[in-house]
Amino acid sequence: MTGSEQRLPRIARKSGPLRGSVRVPGDKSVSHRALILAALAVGETPVSGLLEAGDVLRTAAAMRQLGAHVVRHGAGNWTVHGAGVGGFDQPADVLDFGNSGTGARLTMGAVATTPITVTFTGDASLRRRPMQRVIGPLALFGASADARENGLLPITIRGARHPGPVEHRLQVASAQVKSALLFAALNVPGRSTIIERAATRDHTERMLKAFGAAIEVEERGPETAISVTGHAELRSCPVEVPGDPSSAAFPLTAALIVPESEILLERVMLNPRRTGLIQTLTEMGADIVIRNRRASGGDEIGDVLVRYSRLTGIEVPPERAPAMIDEYPVLAVAAAFAEGRTTMRGLEELRVKESDRLAAVAAGLSANGVVCEERADGLTVEGMGHGVPGGGVVATHMDHRIAMSFLTMGLAAMSPVTVDDGSMIATSFPEFEPLMRSLGAEIAAP
Ligand code: S3P
């Protein structure tokens, strides 16, 4: 479903203390990568804890269309029998990635150096998002792409028949673009190097290592150079998907703003390139304690204990943006309940997510009586302590994180908050409502 076909408005009301212990669903970034890497590997890869949400199911379907044998055995438990590097078949139909920029961009990279022709499309939101950032550098490998004007989907990629190695410095701080190029490099003779100026999430690098790719990561002053020598076979490697910190962000923020709450979020991924929100909220005075920090599947995980806290506005350092890029909408909600002003900068990328998130957040805050200032690359929120009026109807623009952020706001605002469409929540967090209700949140149809 695209969300525009059938809207499902939802309303969140002021709720009693949130209490309990929950497991958030599997990490979306790791889930996409597990399916793609397993599809490129030789042998059978078991995946546990896979996020079974719209976005990831699209990637699973795409991997099947490309010739991998992808089977679901039970909740979160899947196996993928890979086609091997360079082993993808030409799909018989268009690959439709729905709402998922990650699925589309990563798969573009995975097909770009195999001599097949693949057409990509997505829903109305994805068809508005920039793809030149991926197809531009993929052309350096010899792949060609026919896109709609301005590099928009639908796009047909003709994979390079004789790809050559590439050295490329990323023009945008994007883990998706980085990952697409690293996947493309797998089927190239010789060593390709991708250089990033700002550190973005490194799940692809960690997982490529685990699958036996010839990958090297080198810090070069402020930059990181990631080199892949192609034509090394990927060997299947079991993947345990940890809890998604970007989904945990919603119950976490809810517990901070609903008085007397205390919740435990179990086995959340704590990769340092994903924990910017926890760091920022802690600086704002949040009572967040990490318990039982441990290693799991090449990453750090832990249980996150969150208690209601009085928050204070801060200036969020712009260089932290990549480590919390998906969490700014819900941070803006936390900021509305803080005392004083919160300033966020360096956020031009938020304009090209599932929606223009800076505009959507600013409009949602204003609709609920919170004063804010939207700038080209940032947002300032005037905190109201516990006097957030609420009472607004928020336009979600087919964006799951806008929907979940403003439902979170409604749990502590004086009047209920309505979102015009909650259907897109299923793209990343289908259990959002039952999980929030199990903690005591009042979310329902209006
Ligand atoms: C993702 C990277 C981020 C993030 C997206 C998931 C990934 O996008 O916003 O939700 O899995 O690589 P960019 O890399 O484009 O910033």
Side-chain angles (χ1 to χ4, degrees), residues 297-428:
D299 234 318
E300 260 178 74
I301 64 168
D303 305 327
V304 183
L305 179 69
V306 190
R307 293 190 197 94
Y308 165 74
S309 306
R310 301 211 73 100
L311 302 174
T312 309
I314 61 162
E315 286 204 17
V316 186
E319 58 278 9
R320 196 176 290 162
M324 55 179 295
I325 193 67
D326 292 334
E327 281 69 77
Y328 282 95
V330 79
L331 174 65
V333 168
F337 288 89
E339 301 288 344
R341 173 179 297 170
T342 297
T343 307
M344 311 170 206
R345 276 189 250 273
L347 305 185
E348 47 286 309
E349 276 296 301
L350 285 195
R351 297 219 178 262
V352 292
K353 294 294 179 187
E354 286 81 331
S355 68
D356 175 344
R357 285 187 174 156
L358 281 178
V361 168
L365 291 173
S366 304
N368 287 289
V370 180
V371 174
C372 63
E373 189 202 340
E374 177 190 348
R375 293 180 312 279
D377 73 334
L379 188 70
T380 300
V381 180
E382 303 295 339
M384 307 186 83
H386 274 271
V388 172
V393 179
V394 177
T396 50
H397 302 285
M398 301 178 74
D399 190 328
H400 54 132
R401 298 201 200 280
I402 298 299
M404 290 186 277
S405 297
F406 283 96
L407 289 173
T408 300
M409 170 183 266
L411 304 177
M414 291 186 284
S415 300
V417 174
T418 305
V419 301
D420 67 352
D421 183 17
S423 66
M424 302 310 290
I425 291 172
T427 62
S428 71

Side-chain angles (χ1 to χ4, degrees), residues 140-420:
L140 303 172
F141 286 104
S144 74
D146 285 329
R148 215 151 42 94
E149 211 174 332
N150 299 322
L152 299 179
L153 291 172
I155 292 175
T156 296
I157 295 195
R158 280 180 196 78
R161 189 163 293 278
H162 302 293
V166 156
E167 174 161 331
H168 178 70
R169 183 171 273 103
L170 294 170
Q171 299 305 303
V172 273
S174 166
Q176 295 179 358
V177 176
K178 170 177 69 176
S179 302
L181 298 176
L182 295 175
F183 288 157
L186 291 172
N187 199 32
V188 177
R191 181 178 157 107
S192 297
T193 301
I194 311 304
I195 300 158
E196 69 174 354
R197 293 183 269 205
T200 63
R201 64 191 69 191
D202 59 356
H203 309 304
T204 299
E205 296 90 308
R206 288 172 186 250
M207 293 174 78
L208 276 170
K209 231 171 255 168
F211 276 79
I215 176 169
E216 277 171 47
V217 179
E218 189 197 333
E219 303 299 333
R220 293 185 186 164
E223 300 187 327
T224 309
I226 307 141
S227 301
V228 165
T229 303
H231 286 180
E233 208 164 76
L234 295 190
R235 19 165 231 278
S236 56
C237 148
V239 181
E240 251 179 69
V241 182
D244 194 329
S246 301
S247 295
F250 302 105
L252 186 153
T253 301
L256 291 175
I257 62 176
V258 173
E260 293 175 52
S261 296
E262 176 170 334
I263 66 167
L264 185 73
L265 301 161
E266 296 167 27
R267 55 177 277 293
V268 178
M269 180 210 282
L270 297 171
N271 177 313
R273 295 190 185 186
R274 297 289 299 282
T275 48
L277 178 73
I278 292 181
Q279 190 180 351
T280 301
L281 289 169
T282 303
E283 289 169 9
M284 292 171 76
D287 182 352
I288 301 175
V289 179
I290 309 293
R291 285 185 174 169
N292 198 11
R293 197 185 269 274
R294 56 208 187 267
S296 166
D299 234 318
E300 260 178 74
I301 64 168
D303 305 327
V304 183
L305 179 69
V306 190
R307 293 190 197 94
Y308 165 74
S309 306
R310 301 211 73 100
L311 302 174
T312 309
I314 61 162
E315 286 204 17
V316 186
E319 58 278 9
R320 196 176 290 162
M324 55 179 295
I325 193 67
D326 292 334
E327 281 69 77
Y328 282 95
V330 79
L331 174 65
V333 168
F337 288 89
E339 301 288 344
R341 173 179 297 170
T342 297
T343 307
M344 311 170 206
R345 276 189 250 273
L347 305 185
E348 47 286 309
E349 276 296 301
L350 285 195
R351 297 219 178 262
V352 292
K353 294 294 179 187
E354 286 81 331
S355 68
D356 175 344
R357 285 187 174 156
L358 281 178
V361 168
L365 291 173
S366 304
N368 287 289
V370 180
V371 174
C372 63
E373 189 202 340
E374 177 190 348
R375 293 180 312 279
D377 73 334
L379 188 70
T380 300
V381 180
E382 303 295 339
M384 307 186 83
H386 274 271
V388 172
V393 179
V394 177
T396 50
H397 302 285
M398 301 178 74
D399 190 328
H400 54 132
R401 298 201 200 280
I402 298 299
M404 290 186 277
S405 297
F406 283 96
L407 289 173
T408 300
M409 170 183 266
L411 304 177
M414 291 186 284
S415 300
V417 174
T418 305
V419 301
D420 67 352

